[in-house]
Amino acid sequence: MKLFSCQRCGTLLYFENTQCEICLSILGFVPENASLEALVPAGGDSWTAVAPPGETFRFCANARHGVCNWLVAAERHEAYCRACRLNRTTPDLSIAGNLQLWRRLEAAKHRLVYGLLRLGLPLANLIEDPQGGLAFDFLAANAADHWRNVSTGHMNGVVTIDIAEADDAARERQRTEMQEPYRALLGHFRHEAGHHYWERLVRDGNRLESFRKVFGDERRDYTSALTAHYGAAKETTPPCYVSRYASAHPWEDFAETWAHYLHIVDTLETAAAFGITIAPRVTDAREYATAIDFDAYCPPGFDVLGAAWHPLTSAVNNLNQSMGQPDLYPFVLTPAVQGKLRFVHGLIHTPANAPGTTSMS
């Protein structure tokens, strides 16, 4: 994730900020150029950016709920921003606690959308593209609707997220019961988006043969595979997979690998924004030295990502251990897993989808 600065006073700003703490300027995010803009009122519901060329915007309609800080160009007719137009179903706000859960869901979803747009990937809602669009249903099984079985998943371009995943305590219980070393709300969004892009880029992109060489044959019965996976004893992650769940079926392997690739590039962008350099003060530690000074969303090649990722994760794991915390990054990227990540990298960085610094339109 990029860092930003207030155009009025120069204060350091972050992606979710809605107001500068120093000059109190109202802030809004412009997805077309990935900028966080300081704004001044322009009459009615319009705002003008402080920085040239001083464009005029409206806030997304979801800003009134405190769940979105993205902007829509004033001349456009959409009430919702690029990210919120992907919503098909949102939580029932008449139920106590749902607004807070929705805010957490939107924070994760907006980070997902930021990454997808930075990568220049095709991203339309189901109204714009009924055949290849993407939509989100945020659902809950509650007392008034207990007949409904809500499961986080993806089907035909629709990502369903159980809003209980936004409850930290409930998610931690699930993580412990499933014996997962990592379970995060953003991870769910990136994983389910992986299923969507498997359909768009692999199935519809005539890449099934190359996919099967790396991940296996997805024609294997999915329901039986999941039944066998959940029925088996919990064991350590097989060396050919990024997570234990990835071993259940080639579709899940791809989605887990896709999510992991997005984790890597977004974390490396954040590290680069902070100017992080790893230079261990011990002898013969050259493999742990790196300067993260490149755009991870548009790197010179996959090897550059890998060369920076290993030293960075080693450093952050040791920092966590110094605080008595478990590893922040509890994964081992074996050569087989790196090969799968390389496949995802190549899938994204094709001529048709080559990202650039202004690819968020």
Side-chain angles (χ1 to χ4, degrees), residues 158-191:
V158 178
V159 170
T160 299
I161 302 289
D162 180 354
I163 68 171
E165 289 290 348
D167 183 307
D168 293 339
R171 191 174 60 256
E172 179 61 18
R173 285 195 301 270
Q174 282 284 88
R175 189 194 68 79
T176 302
E177 290 173 4
M178 302 298 293
Q179 296 185 19
E180 297 174 336
Y182 171 87
R183 186 183 182 96
L185 190 55
L186 181 55
H188 283 308
F189 277 92
R190 286 173 171 163
H191 174 99

Side-chain angles (χ1 to χ4, degrees), residues 72-87:
V72 180
E75 67 271 14
R76 298 182 69 92
H77 299 295
E78 294 94 351
Y80 296 95
C81 72
R82 185 75 183 274
C84 289
R85 290 201 297 273
L86 297 172
N87 290 348

